[in-house]
Amino acid sequence: MDYSTASPATEGPPPASSSFGVRSCSPEYAKTPRGILKIAQMLCSLLTFALSFGWSHYGGGWLTFVAIMGFIKAVTWFVLHLFNAIPDVIFNYFIEVIGYCIWTIFFFVSGIVAVVHGPHLSVAGAAAFFAFVCMIVFGADAAFQLLDLRSAWKARNDRRQMQTTTNADEDDIFIRR
């Protein structure tokens, strides 16, 4: 749809629907700090994969697996966030946080494995560096996701508190009559 010819009443993208699935594309997500982190995850994971792909001994297979799965994970979450395909449910925050925490640990372990075997292979040092960069980027995204989870949990509890207070006041008024 061409939004340049839209009238002021219909200007902008269509409103998000309440159903699951793709709601609308938001290309401005790529410019947000979270979008930039996802792009950095994709690039660092791809570089780590490229550097570790040639050596399968000395732990290179583990680093290759972690890097390519990290790349797939970053691309998947980037596309899901880009197209607003994730429903606003607190459980989804848990899934993303747990996945990023696990991958942060995996990149840490694979970076240590690459450092230990760095003297045997010259490319292992560069792969270790990018594995640690991936660890930092995935860890930062996990931290941002934890902050989002905390604010979503607080908003949920505030809504429940408000509903409980409102219902209690209504019950109190009903009892007095």
Side-chain angles (χ1 to χ4, degrees):
M1 178 177 187
D2 184 23
Y3 295 116
S4 61
T5 60
S7 66
T10 62
E11 200 168 296
S17 66
S18 61
S19 64
F20 293 108
V22 177
R23 298 178 194 164
S24 65
C25 180
S26 56
E28 62 272 358
Y29 174 76
K31 298 175 186 172
T32 64
R34 296 279 306 279
I36 293 170
L37 275 174
K38 296 269 192 293
I39 293 170
Q41 289 170 1
M42 289 185 275
L43 292 176
C44 289
S45 296
L46 199 58
L47 279 170
T48 306
F49 171 72
L51 290 170
S52 66
F53 186 68
W55 52 287
S56 62
H57 56 288
Y58 298 124
W62 169 248
L63 184 58
T64 301
F65 168 75
V66 170
I68 197 62
M69 293 307 292
F71 175 75
I72 291 170
K73 180 178 193 52
V75 168
T76 302
W77 283 109
F78 180 76
V79 169
L80 288 174
H81 284 292
L82 184 69
F83 288 103
N84 296 321
I86 302 172
D88 293 329
V89 180
I90 290 180
F91 182 71
N92 293 332
Y93 288 110
F94 280 121
I95 291 173
E96 197 169 354
V97 165
I98 290 169
Y100 281 128
C101 289
I102 289 171
W103 241 253
T104 300
I105 293 168
F106 281 179
F107 272 114
F108 178 70
V109 170
S110 63
I112 288 175
V113 168
V115 164
V116 167
H117 296 295
H120 302 295
L121 298 164
S122 60
V123 74
F129 171 77
F130 283 109
F132 286 122
V133 170
C134 284
M135 178 195 70
I136 291 169
V137 175
F138 274 82
D141 205 355
F144 281 130
Q145 196 68 18
L146 279 170
L147 290 174
D148 288 348
L149 177 64
R150 181 178 173 202
S151 64
W153 196 265
K154 185 177 182 318
R156 177 182 161 265
N157 287 341
D158 288 345
R159 280 193 311 271
R160 282 188 172 181
Q161 181 73 22
M162 210 181 256
Q163 289 173 351
T164 304
T165 305
T166 306
N167 291 341
D169 290 343
E170 289 172 2
D171 291 342
D172 191 35
I173 292 170
F174 182 73
I175 292 171
R176 288 183 191 167
R177 290 183 185 171

